[in-house]
Amino acid sequence: MDTGLLVALIVAVVIVALIVILVVAVLLPRRRRSHLRERFGPEYNRAVEEHGGRRDAERELAQREKRHSRLDLRPLTPRAREEYSRGWAAIQERFVDSPIEAVREADDLVSRLMVERGYPTEGEEQRLADLSVEHSAAMQDYRAAREVRARVDRGEAPTEELREAMVRYRSLFADLLDEGSGENRGAD
């Protein structure tokens, strides 16, 4: 084989390899970023801010997805779904006479629903991370409700905040209840 032809072939192979490497280096992170933004919504921006940059935030969000995929999440039985719905209605009724107790009960009911669905509830940060994978839209509400719950325990929450906490708990409660029915499975 002619030396000039061999050199041209090697250069062509190197150029093609560099182009492939460049495409992979540019496109894969963009696809990953796009996937994570779509999956996590506002949680993506929160993670970027919390971690001080996209790279660490995206690594964290990918780890959340991986952990979430190993959870044994299960749908609710129709009976359990009905019982949770009745429980929520009763808590809302009690809010008028006992808003502090209603907020505590709402938090407890949401926690029990998480457990029944298969979400681990130990460790506040891990709980939020696990929930954020499929319930990212409700996470801001849930965090705010949990903050009010902490103020309730310190005796610092005014009635309007208690009302807002109930609305915010309902956001995650409805998400968990609807998804837990098994009706939305496979809709992705």
Side-chain angles (χ1 to χ4, degrees):
M1 182 179 261
D2 183 14
T3 306
L5 183 60
L6 184 59
V7 169
L9 185 60
I10 291 173
V11 168
V13 169
V14 168
I15 289 173
V16 169
L18 289 174
I19 290 172
V20 168
I21 290 170
L22 182 62
V23 167
V24 168
V26 171
L27 291 183
L28 285 182
R30 283 185 183 172
R31 281 187 58 203
R32 178 180 179 201
R33 182 171 302 124
S34 176
H35 163 76
L36 292 171
R37 278 186 173 159
E38 185 177 312
R39 177 100 192 229
F40 287 94
E43 273 297 298
Y44 178 90
N45 294 332
R46 186 179 189 287
V48 169
E49 186 176 308
E50 184 178 291
H51 288 279
R54 286 193 318 231
R55 181 170 296 194
D56 289 342
E58 289 172 0
R59 186 177 305 117
E60 162 66 20
L61 295 173
Q63 288 172 348
R64 288 183 194 183
E65 280 186 315
K66 188 174 183 178
R67 176 181 158 85
H68 186 272
S69 72
R70 292 188 306 257
L71 296 177
D72 182 24
L73 300 181
R74 49 200 174 269
L76 297 172
T77 65
R79 180 177 178 196
R81 191 169 192 265
E82 181 60 33
E83 286 175 12
Y84 280 107
S85 293
R86 279 197 309 271
W88 184 261
I91 290 169
Q92 285 183 303
E93 288 175 17
R94 279 194 291 283
F95 182 82
V96 173
D97 295 324
S98 184
I100 290 173
E101 208 43 50
V103 167
R104 287 181 176 139
E105 290 176 15
D107 183 59
D108 293 343
L109 184 68
V110 168
S111 292
R112 286 195 313 271
L113 178 53
M114 284 183 227
V115 169
E116 185 150 347
R117 290 286 326 284
Y119 285 98
T121 57
E122 68 280 344
E124 184 75 12
E125 287 306 310
Q126 190 60 59
R127 173 192 302 200
L128 293 169
D130 290 341
L131 287 167
S132 73
V133 176
E134 288 191 15
H135 305 282
S136 62
M139 287 292 77
Q140 184 174 350
D141 284 337
Y142 184 59
R143 281 188 177 90
R146 293 287 294 165
E147 288 173 16
V148 172
R149 167 66 194 261
R151 286 196 297 280
V152 162
D153 292 343
R154 295 188 307 264
E156 301 171 354
T159 304
E160 180 57 24
E161 282 188 14
L162 298 173
R163 186 195 66 75
E164 289 174 13
M166 290 295 293
V167 170
R168 291 175 182 273
Y169 274 122
R170 184 175 54 213
S171 174
L172 180 59
F173 177 80
D175 248 20
L176 288 166
L177 195 67
D178 287 345
E179 180 185 277
S181 69
E183 295 170 6
N184 297 331
R185 297 281 175 194
D188 292 320

